Amino acid sequence: MSNRPLRVLGVSGSPRKAATEFVIQEALRHAKEKYNADTQYFSVMDKKLNFCIHCDHCIRTREGCVFKDDMEEVYELLEWADAYILGSPVYQGNISGQLKTLLDRTRAMVAKNPTVFEGKIGAAAAIGGDRVGGQEPTLRSIHDFYMINLIFSIGGGAFGANLGATIWSKDKKAAGAEADKQGLKTLHKTVDRLISVSNKLRG
Ligand SMILES: Cc1cc2nc3c(=O)[nH]c(=O)nc-3n(C[C@H](O)[C@H](O)[C@H](O)COP(=O)(O)O)c2cc1C
């Protein structure tokens, strides 16, 4: 086992300081307080994140993305972390456009270093206004990103958290997420799993 604490990056894919931010901060608090993880947080809120324009600059040069915007900050954090918890509000039954943009832009990292993500571990959290509003497709989209990029994809385990954390905010921002006690159980179970599998894989 490596001596240094596990590095966990939490990402909120919401453009607001609201339910998703609360959920990801709670995941990081749990990881830090229960497991002494070293944590970092990134939110898409107020960030300039250009769409990938498929110019292939990253493929041709292998020097990263043509855009110099707020992705620079998250590129560094994505490299730094051993484990991720990516969270998204459910928009039209799936991840937010902001999170999708962030994920698309990681193509430049892989173009530069094809194994940049290899061996990292990822879990997911989906926060919907409705009880069954598309949380599971949202989790699946995040897991697809992990699979494509050689990141080990971690659910929350059977009998409780299955594909990850599913939160019902009732469209009430942070207070709504905080009131969803069952949803928070899925979050804690997912983080517990993320940490235990990460520690096993680190040896
Ligand atoms: C464009 C848009 C689409 C949405 N689509 C859904 C949806 O398909 N299913 C759902 O449960 N909630 C949907 N919602 C509600 C949000 O998922 C919900 O309020 C969530 O808690 C927002 O997260 P935030 O408070 O972190 O911004 C949508 C909200 C927006 C703005």
Side-chain angles (χ1 to χ4, degrees):
M1 165 110 53
S2 167
N3 282 334
R4 68 162 170 76
L6 185 77
R7 295 170 174 173
V8 181
L9 171 66
V11 173
S12 163
S14 167
R16 315 190 296 180
K17 194 173 174 57
T20 310
E21 164 153 309
F22 172 82
V23 166
I24 297 304
Q25 293 282 16
E26 172 56 24
L28 296 177
R29 186 202 60 74
H30 187 74
K32 197 179 185 67
E33 287 180 13
K34 190 165 173 193
Y35 301 102
N36 196 33
D38 194 355
T39 61
Q40 291 282 348
Y41 175 70
F42 181 85
S43 169
V44 302
M45 188 178 97
D46 294 337
K47 298 287 177 5
K48 174 80 179 149
L49 303 172
N50 288 302
F51 288 132
C52 172
I53 56 169
H54 204 168
C55 64
D56 283 339
H57 169 90
C58 62
I59 307 281
R60 275 195 316 276
T61 66
R62 308 203 180 283
E63 285 174 1
C65 186
V66 72
F67 291 124
K68 301 297 167 219
D69 58 13
D70 292 325
M71 278 301 296
E72 307 263 300
E73 182 185 338
V74 75
Y75 282 144
E76 229 175 78
L77 292 172
L78 286 163
E79 285 214 40
W80 167 86
D82 305 304
Y84 306 132
I85 174 126
L86 299 186
S88 183
V90 180
Y91 282 3
Q92 307 297 350
N94 220 300
I95 60 173
S96 65
Q98 290 85 348
L99 183 62
K100 182 64 166 64
T101 298
L102 186 156
L103 300 181
D104 288 346
R105 292 279 304 282
T106 63
R107 187 174 190 248
M109 295 174 73
V110 178
K112 193 171 171 185
N113 173 7
T115 59
V116 66
F117 290 119
E118 199 173 315
K120 295 183 189 280
I121 302 132
I127 298 88
D130 293 326
R131 186 167 66 87
V132 184
Q135 282 88 342
E136 290 201 332
T138 301
L139 296 177
R140 294 306 312 227
S141 291
I142 295 170
H143 287 307
D144 284 351
F145 165 77
Y146 292 147
M147 192 184 296
I148 290 164
N149 292 289
L150 312 179
I151 297 163
F152 294 113
S153 193
I154 300 299
F159 307 113
N162 301 290
L163 297 176
T166 48
I167 315 290
W168 177 23
S169 73
K170 297 188 178 173
D171 291 327
K172 290 186 177 145
K173 301 187 175 175
E178 191 172 12
D180 181 15
K181 299 302 175 206
Q182 192 59 39
L184 292 179
K185 272 192 194 166
T186 69
L187 179 71
H188 294 145
K189 198 162 188 281
T190 299
V191 174
D192 291 341
R193 262 300 180 89
L194 180 71
I195 305 277
S196 73
V197 175
S198 297
N199 286 338
K200 273 188 194 126
L201 287 173
R202 290 167 93 208

